[in-house]
Amino acid sequence: MKHDEITFDSHGTTCAARHWTGIGSALETDAGRPVVVMAHGLAGTVDSGLVPFAESLAEAGMDVVAFDYRGFGASQGSPRQRVRVDDQVDDYRAALAAAQRLPGVDASRVVLWGVSLAGGHVLQVAVGRDDVAAVVSLTPLVDGLAAARHAVGHHRPSTMLRSTVSGVRSRVSGARGGRPVTMPVVARPGEVGALTLDGCYEDYLSIAGPTWVNEVDADVALELGSRDAAKAAKQLRVPMLVQIADFDRSAPPRAAAKAAFNARAEVRHYPCDHFDVWPGKQWFDAASSHQVSFLTRVLTD
């Protein structure tokens, strides 16, 4: 399916995005078509699994803008491969503003779509806005402390300790003006990496695109430890779909369910792990079709 390459500015840095124009007029009004703003999770890029989700939404009549954060993928920005939650939320807001300026788009009907780490970003971005028509949060990471406790039951203690030490070294180096310490985004069990559960390496590489780099600033665990997007859920006043992988070993499903309850969201459950809702996996078709049906319904109410 054809798309356009676009760019936008986020705090002085040029970010890259792809734009799909919605097909047909099923969701179009005199003001234009609704637009979905789509963002990836930890160190993810647009070309790493987002395209099939975007195309299914565009085929249903929605414009879609999927973007790379500063320092990742096709976007500019330095240092590279460093996760900063506040910066990514700002990038999301900048992408939203850019999407609203596109021709044929109804700027008052924006959908926020996020997966994993971005599944928490969308909660924060949606708060206090009257131009957000709906939110989709797929296997979201919404609570850093809950995620840390969750990880203890699934990771080897020695691996977690080594990763934490690397993170502290990176923070200290950065504070002294030095280069960050990096580690793989995904690695095999027993190796140092941000995600080292059995199968994560193979699952992430199965969706990885050409701009994706298996590297992240080692302080990512320290950064995500203070992640608390769940607080924003109580403030939401828009239709929301939360899609939970019941056996998710990466983003704690209980925290996602609690946030969904607080947001009075529609919830879909899938009997699978974190990556099993991605293209090529068993539960992708269900997750994608549920997004289309939910958004088609709320955007025509």
Side-chain angles (χ1 to χ4, degrees), residues 2-19:
K2 184 180 178 182
H3 67 269
D4 297 317
E5 304 284 345
I6 63 173
T7 61
F8 62 92
D9 177 85
S10 181
H11 294 262
T13 299
T14 300
C15 293
R18 297 185 186 184
H19 170 224

Side-chain angles (χ1 to χ4, degrees), residues 9-239:
D9 177 85
S10 181
H11 294 262
T13 299
T14 300
C15 293
R18 297 185 186 184
H19 170 224
W20 290 263
T21 300
I23 296 174
S25 58
L27 300 177
E28 190 170 3
T29 66
D30 291 342
R33 297 176 301 275
V35 60
V36 180
V37 182
M38 181 176 285
H40 214 304
L42 178 65
T45 53
V46 171
D47 59 8
S48 298
L50 291 189
V51 173
F53 284 111
E55 290 181 341
S56 67
L57 297 174
E59 288 169 357
M62 298 163 243
D63 278 34
V64 181
V65 172
F67 72 95
D68 288 333
Y69 302 111
R70 280 176 278 174
F72 290 91
S75 289
Q76 297 180 12
S78 181
R80 305 295 296 176
Q81 306 299 122
R82 185 182 73 177
V83 175
R84 290 293 181 268
V85 169
D86 289 345
D87 289 350
Q88 292 192 351
V89 170
D90 284 344
D91 292 347
Y92 201 115
R93 294 189 176 107
L96 189 161
Q100 291 176 307
R101 295 191 294 267
L102 291 169
V105 160
D106 180 355
S108 68
R109 286 195 298 162
V110 178
V111 175
L112 308 184
W113 188 106
V115 60
S116 194
L117 183 56
H121 294 348
V122 293
L123 301 179
Q124 294 176 261
V125 176
V127 171
R129 302 188 67 110
D130 59 8
D131 51 2
V132 174
V135 174
V136 174
S137 184
L138 175 62
T139 59
L141 176 62
V142 297
D143 186 329
L145 288 178
R149 291 193 295 267
H150 192 63
V152 170
H154 295 289
H155 290 81
R156 300 179 184 179
S158 60
T159 301
M160 293 183 65
L161 178 60
R162 290 158 62 197
S163 296
T164 301
V165 169
S166 295
V168 172
R169 286 174 53 214
S170 187
R171 279 285 169 95
V172 171
S173 177
R176 293 175 176 175
R179 295 176 60 84
V181 177
T182 62
M183 65 182 178
V185 178
V186 284
R188 294 181 174 87
E191 299 176 346
V192 174
L195 300 171
T196 61
L197 293 170
D198 181 44
C200 279
Y201 181 84
E202 293 78 10
D203 286 341
Y204 210 137
L205 264 64
S206 73
I207 60 172
T211 70
W212 183 77
V213 178
N214 190 16
E215 183 181 71
V216 68
D217 190 320
D219 74 352
V220 63
L222 303 178
E223 176 69 15
L224 298 186
S226 60
R227 179 30 156 189
D228 197 11
K231 287 184 177 179
K234 292 182 179 181
Q235 303 176 57
L236 294 188
R237 297 294 182 269
V238 298

Side-chain angles (χ1 to χ4, degrees), residues 244-259:
I244 299 173
D246 288 333
F247 307 121
D248 198 323
R249 295 176 297 163
S250 301
R254 185 173 181 178
K258 182 178 179 180

